[in-house]
Amino acid sequence: MTDQAVDVSGRTGVRETGRTDSQFFGRQRELKSLRADIERAGLDTMAGRKGKRPRVLLVAGRPGSGRTSLADELAQGLTDDYPDGVLRARLTLPGGERVPTVDTARELLGALAVVAPPGEGEDELTERVREALSVRRVVLLLDDAADAEQVEPLLPDAADCLVVATATGPLTGIPDVRPCTLGGLDTAAGVELLGRFTGNVRITVDPRTAESLVEECGGQPSALVLVGGWLAARPKDSVADAAKKLRELPGDDTWLPRVAPPAPPQSDAGSEDSEEPGEARRAVPAEQPAAPRQLVRAFRFVYESLPAPAARILRLLALAPAGLADAHIASALAGCSVSAAQSTLDDFAALGLLRRLGPLYEVPGALAPLLRALMEDRDRPAEVQLARARMLERTVRQLQSCRAVTDPDGSPARKRLAGLPKSLRFPSAPAAAEWLRVRQPALIASARIAVEDGDLDTLARRLVAALVRALIAHRGAADAAAELYGLHQLVLSVAERRDLPREKAAALLNLADLDARTGRTEEALARYRAALEAGRAANDPFAISRAMESVGGAYQELGDWQRASDWYGRALAQRQSRGESADEARLYGRLGTVLTYAGNYGEALRNWRAAAAGHRRLGDLPGQARVLSEAARVQEYAGRPEESLRTCREAVEWARQAKDVRLQAALEIRLADTLDRLGDPAAAQLHRGSAERLLVDPASAYEIRSQSAKD
């Protein structure tokens, strides 16, 4: 095997579009071969056809072999040929869970600045990815693929892109894949890697021992990084000391239990194949290959050199959501101070046990199953569950602080924020927004962990609620709609598992609203009806009324005026029975709207008049003016122009009394339009002039005039 590609700077994130400062070296022959494979004739070319799909290169190797670093180096070296950049997605999490294809597709679409409606399924999202890539020249790097089923849906429908995948074995099922299989380092490259940690002096004084140490590690890059980190932390120890200690480790294969993927979470909400509305799709653990024996020995060598408190923190990092941790997560897991946790994380990164990703630390995929196996073997289940609960509780408090910093000074939330420890407070709203942006993948993973656990449902509900509020506060409901959709699905799964009809109704209403906003009216209608049943089971009048009105809105969107008016009538009766006057007035207006669409102008006018009376009783003069304006429109449709003119004048007068200048101007323009249709252009011009005088800003006048023309 030729020299090994190694990037000792660590990974740069979930996706990259530019070159970062790395210390990659070696594996030049493999790089040259992979580059040659890009242009080499494929099956289509040999058959005399132009390829319809991109070339797929596969970098295969066991965990810790450097496959990701080689793929990164290849991709970044091709940016001149692929000017639209490098897109990177991770297909397997450090714990071994497969990343759902819908999540991968959304990640790629986000990197491409392509907006996808919330709630879209796998087929729709992957189609959007393929369409977006079909007009670009990019390198698509799919890291740690479990099988071809993860890769195939994302392949662009054009030959101008290049796909580079990393995996443990072949991607059977994808035609014409060009594989490059990696093994261990050759001796020279391994010695060079050690020298990056030890400096040249300790290598040159004993080159033979350095070579034997490389052989002892089987040339595995990850193993050598661990041993090199151990030597870097002990400048007085020689390479011979490390080699001796490594050889003296007993050959006990039972030191670490058999590494197996985590069991899929069980839930009463349904099986993983269920397609019931609102069920959150869970990641499925991939079949994880056993870590190389040399890597296990090197890990044991470093692990057993750690003090007991540090070793415990390292084991508990197996619980880090999405394999990502910071000082707060480590502090909560271990029950130690934030400063002590930060120092320990820095030590782990220096030893090669963690990778730095900006303000976060990542558990390397090759080490994650080893940490989990150690945790399950050395820590009692009750202690592990307590650590997980502490981590989630800390996350809830951070999210509450993140949202509270957006409230005005003196608000109750800001007062509560002042009482939190300094380490949990944010200096400003922009700082909180950046924290939320950087940690969003880990925060969403935390929510999923809490829900899938099954024993922490109270914490799960609090965590999801806090995350929803923080996302809305910093990004707005529209921008965060895709994330909110997934979070509401998590709430729904907890509500169904725990038989919580009130929470179920709320989750279904939120999901249905997002469905309705993205044009999936039939899906929204089904969820609104389910929410109505859940609201009745919970005896929740608010949920019942809200669901009834929303069912009416869905039928209105579908153009079924009869059913829409029927459901609005039910919602109106519900509101009247509770004395909810504002909602009653609004529902009279909604009834007036659908009856107008249905051509039932007499009944529509009665409802608009009732709505106007309701707004008048509430002292809502602008609302009364708007409703009267709609009533005037219906009178005009009904062929009663004189009545329409009187009603429109009445609406203008109420707007004037309300001192709502913009509303008054808009109604003056509508009155002018009515006069034009009645054949009185002179009077119409007077009212348009009045509207112009009401509005000092000409742009505002133009906006109102344009809107009136549309009406």
Side-chain angles (χ1 to χ4, degrees), residues 611-612 615-616 619-629 658 660 663:
H615 286 293
R616 184 171 62 251
D620 179 8
L621 300 186
Q624 184 179 356
R626 292 188 184 93
V627 165
L628 287 172
S629 174
D660 190 327
L663 176 60

Side-chain angles (χ1 to χ4, degrees), residues 37-38 40-42 53-57 161-163 176 178:
D37 276 338
I38 298 172
R40 194 165 295 155
R53 305 195 84 179
R55 176 55 49 87
V56 180
L57 303 180
C161 296
L162 173 70
V163 177
D176 205 22
R178 297 304 175 97

Side-chain angles (χ1 to χ4, degrees), residues 205-498:
V205 298
D206 195 357
R208 295 293 180 84
T209 303
E211 292 173 359
S212 68
L213 183 56
V214 171
E215 294 174 1
E216 187 71 25
C217 291
Q220 287 292 319
S222 293
L224 285 168
V225 166
L226 291 172
V227 175
W230 185 92
L231 282 166
R234 294 166 175 77
K236 294 184 178 180
D237 285 3
S238 66
V239 173
D241 293 330
K244 179 182 178 182
K245 291 179 182 294
L246 190 61
R247 283 194 296 268
E248 287 176 351
L249 284 177
D252 183 4
D253 291 339
T254 64
W255 174 77
L256 193 67
R258 182 179 65 85
V259 177
Q266 299 297 317
S267 169
D268 294 335
S271 68
E272 293 189 8
D273 294 329
S274 173
E275 297 182 359
E276 288 298 316
E279 183 179 358
R281 180 175 295 184
R282 297 180 291 275
V284 179
E287 187 66 29
Q288 288 184 279
R293 178 180 59 84
Q294 296 89 347
L295 175 57
V296 176
R297 284 179 63 82
F299 173 72
R300 178 179 182 179
F301 169 66
V302 175
Y303 173 81
E304 292 188 343
S305 71
L306 298 174
R312 178 172 174 269
I313 293 177
L314 182 64
R315 295 193 303 271
L316 291 175
L317 287 177
L319 301 175
L324 299 172
D326 60 10
H328 276 284
I329 287 175
S331 164
L333 286 171
C336 65
S337 69
V338 175
S339 59
Q342 182 65 62
S343 176
T344 302
L345 292 177
D346 289 338
D347 291 342
F348 289 162
L351 287 169
L353 294 166
L354 296 177
R355 296 191 184 103
R356 295 181 190 270
L357 295 179
L360 298 176
Y361 297 81
E362 181 186 48
V363 178
L367 300 185
L370 306 182
L371 296 185
R372 180 169 292 277
L374 269 178
M375 180 190 70
E376 292 173 351
D377 184 59
R378 310 288 171 88
D379 297 288
R380 294 195 297 270
E383 293 177 345
V384 172
Q385 189 72 329
L386 180 60
R388 182 182 283 112
R390 285 196 304 264
M391 176 184 68
L392 297 175
E393 179 63 39
R394 178 74 60 87
T395 304
V396 170
R397 298 181 71 191
Q398 287 181 290
L399 285 167
Q400 291 171 339
S401 175
C402 179
R403 187 206 61 78
V405 76
T406 64
D407 283 1
D409 291 335
S411 65
R414 289 298 288 267
K415 291 178 181 178
R416 289 193 297 271
L417 179 61
L420 291 176
K422 185 177 180 181
S423 63
L424 292 177
R425 300 199 300 267
F426 294 94
S428 64
E434 178 63 12
W435 176 88
L436 183 64
R437 184 191 68 81
V438 171
R439 288 162 175 78
Q440 183 173 299
L443 292 168
I444 292 177
S446 293
R448 288 175 175 167
I449 289 169
V451 170
E452 291 170 358
D453 181 275
D455 293 328
L456 299 171
D457 282 344
T458 300
L459 257 178
R461 290 154 60 197
R462 292 178 57 223
L463 175 59
V464 173
L467 181 51
V468 166
R469 294 187 185 108
L471 286 169
I472 292 174
H474 286 282
R475 292 177 51 192
D479 184 48
E483 290 81 7
L484 296 177
Y485 198 93
L487 293 171
H488 293 319
Q489 286 180 313
L490 292 177
V491 173
L492 180 59
S493 66
V494 173
E496 290 176 335
R497 180 168 64 219
R498 292 292 184 180

Side-chain angles (χ1 to χ4, degrees), residues 277 508 512 520-532 551 554:
L508 286 167
R520 296 193 299 275
T521 310
E522 294 285 359
E523 292 87 341
L525 179 58
R527 281 196 163 122
Y528 284 136
R529 284 183 171 277
L532 177 59
V551 169

